[in-house]
Amino acid sequence: MASENSDPHLAASVKILIAGGFGVGKTTMVSAISEIAPLRTEELITEISTGVDDLSGVEQKTTTTVALDFGRITIDRNLVLYLFGTPGQDRFWFLWDELARGALGAVVLADTRRLGNSFAAVDFFERRGLAFTVAVNCFDGAPIYTVDEVRDALDLDDHIPVLLCDARSRESCKEVLVNLVQHLIERAGRARVAT
């Protein structure tokens, strides 16, 4: 006998945020994993952003997300993830509250060249009680740290998963999302046991 959700049109839909600081690879991650052509709201970085946006460590960056990135990935016939990439600059953070509405979890993408830029995203999700994982995007030539070193630097609780990833790689992004889904399932199980 088939389960009630065996029809792909009845698959559970889950909203996931891909968040982090400016230039950490959020647009790249959504683009690498999305099974549909991703929606991007990228604009050219102009002289107007001089003195407003901190380009330290990402001087070669020429575009920036000004609203969101959107993609979709089907995990299996019972589960579809809708991915919402957040803008990274401080001046667009007012959008994060709206983007977080209805989200089940988040990936905080981090860059070891500018790890301090991850604190605001970690704090955002901790304050809202939204489950998240931290994925360290391993840029070419960036300092290499262990998962434990990143966990200590970001002062993360032991239950928050931390992974190393390559936001350009579909397989690596898939591993990050599977890890987040497993974290969400485990968290729901702990909450059920606690009640």
Side-chain angles (χ1 to χ4, degrees):
M1 183 167 161
S3 72
E4 284 181 37
N5 284 341
S6 62
D7 181 346
H9 300 296
L10 299 178
S13 299
V14 176
K15 181 179 183 180
I16 300 294
L17 295 185
I18 309 299
F22 179 57
V24 296
K26 299 175 298 291
T27 299
T28 301
M29 183 176 189
V30 171
S31 297
I33 192 70
S34 182
E35 65 194 14
I36 61 171
L39 168 70
R40 296 186 198 117
T41 59
E42 285 199 305
E43 293 295 332
L44 289 173
I45 295 174
T46 65
E47 291 178 10
I48 295 171
S49 70
T50 303
V52 177
D53 297 324
D54 181 9
L55 295 175
S56 302
V58 290
E59 293 84 3
Q60 74 286 356
K61 191 166 175 52
T62 60
T63 61
T64 186
T65 300
V66 296
L68 64 100
D69 299 307
F70 175 77
R72 182 187 75 208
I73 181 72
T74 302
I75 300 298
D76 65 25
R77 63 185 187 181
N78 296 316
L79 180 60
V80 176
L81 302 183
Y82 290 96
L83 308 174
F84 290 79
T86 63
Q89 300 103 306
D90 295 349
R91 62 190 163 123
F92 296 124
W93 271 56
F94 67 92
L95 295 168
W96 282 43
D97 281 321
E98 284 303 315
L99 290 172
R101 193 179 313 271
L104 195 57
V107 172
V108 173
L109 212 52
D111 177 354
T112 59
R113 299 171 301 180
R114 299 170 297 123
L115 202 53
N117 291 354
S118 302
F119 285 115
V122 168
D123 186 56
F124 179 88
F125 296 118
E126 284 179 341
R127 287 181 186 265
R128 286 157 183 78
L130 189 64
F132 66 95
T133 61
V134 173
V136 179
N137 192 6
C138 298
F139 287 92
D140 297 334
I144 299 170
Y145 298 101
T146 67
V147 165
D148 289 334
E149 288 171 325
V150 171
R151 179 183 304 287
D152 289 344
L154 293 177
D155 194 27
L156 298 171
D157 292 336
D158 290 339
H159 71 276
I160 297 172
V162 178
L163 310 122
L164 303 178
C165 76
D166 180 345
R168 301 167 297 184
S169 163
R170 181 175 175 79
E171 284 305 309
S172 186
C173 295
K174 186 181 351 176
E175 183 180 336
V176 169
L177 292 175
V178 166
N179 187 279
L180 174 62
V181 170
Q182 288 171 338
H183 177 58
L184 294 172
I185 291 168
E186 290 167 8
R187 184 177 176 192
R190 285 192 305 268
R192 236 186 329 268
V193 168
T195 57

